[in-house]
Amino acid sequence: MEFRAQAAGSQALTAIATDALIVVLSAGEAKAQQLAPALASLLNDALKSGDLALKTGRTLYIHRPAGVKAQRLVFVVAADTGAKAFKAAVGAGYAAIKQGGAKQVVVASAFEAALGATHAQALVAALSDAAYVYRHTKPSAPAAPMLAKATLAVADAKAAKAVGEGLARGQAVAAGVELARECANRPANHATPSFLAAEAKKLAKAHGFKCEVLERKDCEKLGMGSFLAVSQGSEQPPKFIVLRYEGAAKTAAPIVLVGKGITFDTGGISIKPSAEMDEMKFDMGGAASVLGTFRALGELKPRVNVVGLIPSCENMPDGRAIKPGDVVTSMSGQTIEILNTDAEGRLILCDALTYAERFKPAAVVDIATLTGACVIALGHHRSGLFSADDALAASLQAAGDESFDLAWRMPLDDEYEEALKSNFADMGNVGGRAGGAITAAMFLKKFTAKYPWAHLDIAGTAWKSGAAKGATGRPVPLLTHFVLSKAR
Ligand code: BES
Ligand code: MN
Ligand code: ZN
């Protein structure tokens, strides 16, 4: 999809010949809406007849509106003039015409003066999210929506420039989100560890990244006993993917992103119940978000170094699979009693966190669909953010706020660590039901003493269940904004 900014001015809107015009209003009073006379009269008419109210989320579709050159007109009401509300409004406005024949759309606002770069980003995010269609294994899926071009109308040339930067950043993020959704939506018989490795190589080739894939024997040599233990019940060979983007001097310490790449999580011998087990194909959402973030970096080329690490394997029950009570030795040398084979994410991440040490990182952020407990704690709107480093936590939180990809900081008090005590190893891999998202984070923390570290639990945000089942591409927006904030 093509995005552009156009200096139109609210008065000139009625003269734009386009398939569809979406006008975002602000909730509250009719007086607050700054509109050209033809639009104002349509609006007042609709308000009077009760067909529209200036309440958040309301929309009105008008076909061939009188006095307006656009073929279709949608009024949509935003909660306020902020970018987050704008995003929701554009999504709702587009939904009103999605099924129709519009190939191009102009988005304008009755609070035009307030529109800035973040509104532009919001627009791109809303329209690209809505226009995405999964097709890879569904030939009968509807063709991608025909929307080819979106224009954001702003007051003047100066605003158009500011908004243009937002559109560019938004499009890079959207490309990353799309890649993450496309990878995570693929069924596990397609999206194997080998598929993820091939995707990483393809991405590296397209954008000039370095990519290395460590095979089982390489991981054995490195002593990744914990990662390999999870993989041993599967017929699919494990892959440990290393991606490198070098946008700054070689001497600049990199940001390391570590993504959980379990391409299917049956639970292993501690097998999961059958209901909704299909959704465990999304257990590589962390890995997909790392690939998506690299996709965005390839577009934006910021002056920063970034390493992506993806330990990837399946978690299967098998004659060779790990059993509850087994003790394994991690790459760090610490031993782990595997009390529950379904707590496999932390077992593959811990070796990746140790591997990360060799990059002498400025910061390491791991991203994982790690615990059902995090879904219970935070639901589906905010990812769990864990870090003992206040500055790093604040920076990630801000990146999430800025990109409408929210996170919420969770505690990491030392007391939570007691739950991981084991009589037979340096630690157990589970800490009971209470505070499950936190004890999982405490487990990871034991492998991160050498650098500033943060953990994002995306179990509740990486995909949607039910009728809209599918990957969300989160937290690619948060991660991309975080990395950009570290560029010099
Ligand atoms: N991949 C799951 C976490 C998960 C569960 C994500 C449900 C989204 C929805 C993870 O590997 C897992 O199974 N975690 C266990 C940990 C428990 C055994 C301590 C869980 O959350 O039940
Ligand atoms: Mn599991
Ligand atoms: Zn899992």
Side-chain angles (χ1 to χ4, degrees):
M1 206 188 306
E2 184 195 330
F3 290 92
R4 50 187 291 263
Q6 186 179 342
S10 54
Q11 302 304 317
L13 280 180
T14 51
I16 301 179
T18 178
D19 292 349
L21 174 63
I22 297 177
V23 178
V24 180
L25 308 166
S26 63
E29 286 181 67
K31 270 185 294 182
Q33 322 299 327
Q34 284 161 18
L35 293 170
L39 289 168
S41 110
L42 287 165
L43 173 63
N44 289 330
D45 204 49
L47 291 174
K48 222 180 285 166
S49 61
D51 289 280
L52 181 66
L54 290 172
K55 290 186 182 156
T56 306
R58 297 288 177 91
T59 59
L60 179 69
Y61 175 81
I62 304 171
H63 201 66
R64 305 212 187 260
V68 180
K69 266 216 173 143
Q71 307 273 312
R72 303 164 184 82
L73 171 66
V74 180
F75 283 123
V76 55
V77 185
D80 53 52
T81 62
K84 195 180 171 207
F86 190 70
K87 183 181 171 206
V90 170
Y94 176 64
I97 54 165
K98 192 179 174 183
Q99 312 298 338
K103 291 194 182 77
Q104 28 156 272
V105 54
V106 174
V107 178
S109 164
F111 45 88
E112 194 175 64
L115 299 185
T118 47
H119 291 80
Q121 264 166 233
L123 169 101
V124 179
L127 293 181
S128 338
D129 268 359
Y132 171 81
V133 182
Y134 175 80
R135 299 190 53 89
H136 189 68
T137 50
K138 191 175 178 185
S140 65
M146 40 165 85
L147 191 63
K149 186 175 158 192
T151 304
L152 180 56
V154 291
D156 52 36
K158 195 172 151 229
K161 186 160 178 258
V163 160
E165 280 159 29
L167 291 177
R169 187 183 271 215
Q171 284 180 86
V173 171
V177 166
E178 190 187 341
L179 176 65
R181 293 177 80 176
E182 204 51 24
C183 287
N185 279 336
R186 295 215 179 178
N189 62 331
H190 289 239
T192 58
S194 304
F195 166 84
L196 290 182
E199 277 300 298
K201 285 206 164 136
K202 222 162 77 183
L203 199 57
K205 202 166 171 212
H207 299 280
F209 308 141
K210 290 181 179 153
C211 181
E212 190 186 355
V213 177
L214 308 183
E215 305 293 336
R216 180 184 274 123
K217 61 178 189 320
D218 303 313
C219 298
E220 273 165 9
K221 267 185 221 141
L222 286 161
M224 293 183 171
S226 187
F227 169 46
L228 291 174
V230 176
S231 79
Q232 78 196 27
S234 166
E235 297 288 329
Q236 291 291 337
K239 304 280 170 180
F240 189 99
I241 303 163
V242 184
L243 263 174
R244 303 193 66 166
Y245 165 73
E246 281 163 2
K250 282 216 157 62
T251 50
I255 308 278
V256 180
L257 304 177
V258 181
K260 173 178 171 181
I262 294 290
T263 58
F264 197 78
D265 181 13
T266 64
I269 296 299
S270 314
I271 198 160
K272 287 182 181 294
S274 302
E276 276 125 51
M277 205 208 270
D278 66 291
E279 295 188 5
M280 284 301 130
K281 72 173 183 179
F282 297 118
D283 212 16
M284 34 62 81
S289 77
V290 172
L291 294 177
T293 301
F294 270 75
R295 175 76 226 273
L297 291 178
E299 263 355 90
L300 296 166
K301 305 216 181 317
R303 296 165 68 85
V304 57
N305 292 334
V306 187
V307 177
L309 300 179
I310 298 175
S312 181
C313 66
E314 288 181 336
N315 185 24
M316 300 291 281
D318 181 77
R320 279 170 303 188
I322 41 172
K323 303 168 290 297
D326 283 3
V327 174
V328 297
T329 304
S330 67
M331 184 177 173
S332 71
Q334 298 176 94
T335 57
I336 304 161
E337 185 185 12
I338 301 174
L339 290 162
N340 189 321
T341 66
D342 197 11
E344 85 298 339
R346 61 199 82 180
L347 294 174
I348 71 168
L349 290 168
C350 70
D351 282 344
L353 290 170
T354 301
Y355 187 82
E357 288 173 2
R358 67 189 53 213
F359 301 104
K360 301 193 169 42
V364 177
V365 181
D366 77 71
I367 309 101
T369 48
L370 202 64
T371 65
C374 193
V375 189
I376 301 304
L378 294 175
H380 302 287
H381 299 296
R382 286 182 186 256
S383 303
L385 162 58
F386 301 79
S387 183
D389 187 310
D390 290 342
L392 180 56
S395 170
L396 285 159
Q397 176 102 40
D401 291 346
E402 223 168 71
S403 60
F404 326 108
D405 184 5
L406 303 175
W408 191 257
R409 191 167 178 192
M410 301 278 282
L412 278 179
D413 301 282
D414 290 339
E415 286 79 358
Y416 288 104
E417 197 184 318
E418 276 161 40
L420 296 171
K421 286 217 167 90
S422 159
N423 289 348
F424 305 105
D426 293 333
M427 68 194 85
N429 78 327
V430 289
R433 277 165 58 82
I438 307 168
T439 51
M442 290 307 286
F443 177 96
L444 296 176
K445 186 167 177 280
K446 290 171 173 291
F447 299 85
T448 62
K450 303 245 164 77
Y451 45 69
W453 160 79
H455 157 61
L456 289 167
D457 193 330
I458 58 167
T461 53
W463 77 86
K464 289 185 174 144
S465 307
K469 192 190 289 183
T472 60
R474 293 180 66 185
V476 170
L478 181 157
L479 293 171
T480 305
H481 279 246
F482 169 69
V483 171
L484 289 179
S485 77
K486 302 299 166 201
R488 291 162 312 142

